Amino acid sequence: MAIDDLLDEHEQSERVRSWLRKNGASILGGVVIAIGAIAGWQWYQKDQGGKLASANVEYQKALVGLQQNKLDDAAKAVKALEAGPSSIYGDLAALQLAKAQVDAGKNEEALATLRAVKVEGDLQRVVDQRVARLLVATGKSDEAIKLLGSATDSSSLEIHGDALLAQGKRDDARAQYEKALKSLDVAAPQRRLLETKVMDAGGTVAAPAESV
């Protein structure tokens, strides 16, 4: 090996040592941070897993309460879920509890259950529609109309019509039903019921065009 090559290697090794002396602490710190991040993530995963397992237990309690028609027990489980970290279990259980409460004639309790559900997007619209239906059923049609606002989907328009009909505003109700019918698919299963509501409100329904 040539002397120049040895000097180059020596010079390179010195440069490496010098660089390590200057940057070694930051490298070590980065390694420590990385290890800490991994450990923290593992702890978080374990912690979340434990919380989800607990939520699943409460969800099963709610289901058992509903199956056995013990609505008070189911309601306690739903409240425990609402206080926990997993909103998915809580939302599902609350919706099922509200349905059971309606079936049992406990409309006010069902309203309270649904109003406690905090969701977003399309699911919030579904919850609002269920609340609005219950408001109409309990004689609070003004609140139902206010809750529905300017929603233009078929279900909201139909409920709006129900609220107006409950107020004795037959013509206005018919207008809402007709709007709902126009925005509803021809093959939709709820179309027949909506057509009946249009006719009951004094309107007419055109017969579907026959295919050639």
Side-chain angles (χ1 to χ4, degrees):
M1 183 178 292
I3 296 295
D4 290 341
D5 292 338
L6 286 173
L7 289 174
D8 288 344
E9 288 184 8
H10 177 72
E11 183 180 356
Q12 289 171 9
S13 64
E14 284 299 317
R15 287 179 180 178
V16 170
R17 291 191 187 96
S18 176
W19 187 87
L20 285 173
R21 282 195 294 269
K22 292 179 181 179
N23 299 283
S26 60
I27 292 174
L28 182 60
V31 171
V32 171
I33 291 172
I35 293 173
I38 292 171
W41 175 249
Q42 290 175 339
W43 173 86
Y44 173 80
Q45 290 284 76
K46 184 177 180 181
D47 181 64
Q48 289 298 105
K51 289 179 178 178
L52 286 174
S54 297
N56 184 53
V57 170
E58 292 299 330
Y59 180 66
Q60 294 303 320
K61 287 181 182 179
L63 292 183
V64 170
L66 292 173
Q67 290 168 358
Q68 297 179 352
N69 203 31
K70 296 179 179 179
L71 300 188
D72 290 340
D73 291 345
K76 289 178 182 177
V78 169
K79 285 186 178 180
L81 285 167
E82 289 172 350
S86 176
S87 61
I88 296 176
Y89 282 115
D91 295 340
L92 288 174
L95 292 174
Q96 293 177 76
L97 173 61
K99 183 180 183 303
Q101 289 170 329
V102 170
D103 292 341
K106 300 180 177 181
N107 289 342
E108 292 296 339
E109 292 183 19
L111 274 173
T113 298
L114 288 173
R115 282 172 165 163
V117 176
K118 305 299 179 184
V119 288
E120 297 178 354
D122 291 339
L123 186 54
Q124 181 61 59
R125 183 172 59 188
V126 171
V127 172
D128 287 345
Q129 289 170 353
R130 292 191 182 186
V131 170
R133 288 186 189 279
L134 281 172
L135 288 171
V136 174
T138 53
K140 302 170 186 175
S141 51
D142 283 337
E143 290 184 41
I145 293 172
K146 184 177 180 180
L147 177 62
L148 293 170
S150 57
T152 57
D153 61 281
S154 178
S155 294
S156 295
L157 290 170
E158 180 184 354
I159 301 166
H160 195 160
D162 293 342
L164 290 168
L165 192 64
Q167 294 177 342
K169 300 176 181 178
R170 197 162 175 255
D171 292 340
D172 292 338
R174 183 177 66 250
Q176 293 297 317
Y177 291 147
E178 288 173 343
K179 287 181 184 178
L181 197 58
K182 287 179 181 178
S183 63
L184 194 63
D185 188 87
V186 176
Q190 65 269 38
R191 187 175 181 85
R192 182 59 62 85
L193 174 60
L194 192 51
E195 288 176 343
T196 301
K197 288 185 177 183
V198 170
M199 291 185 288
D200 286 346
T204 56
V205 177
E210 294 184 2
S211 57
V212 180

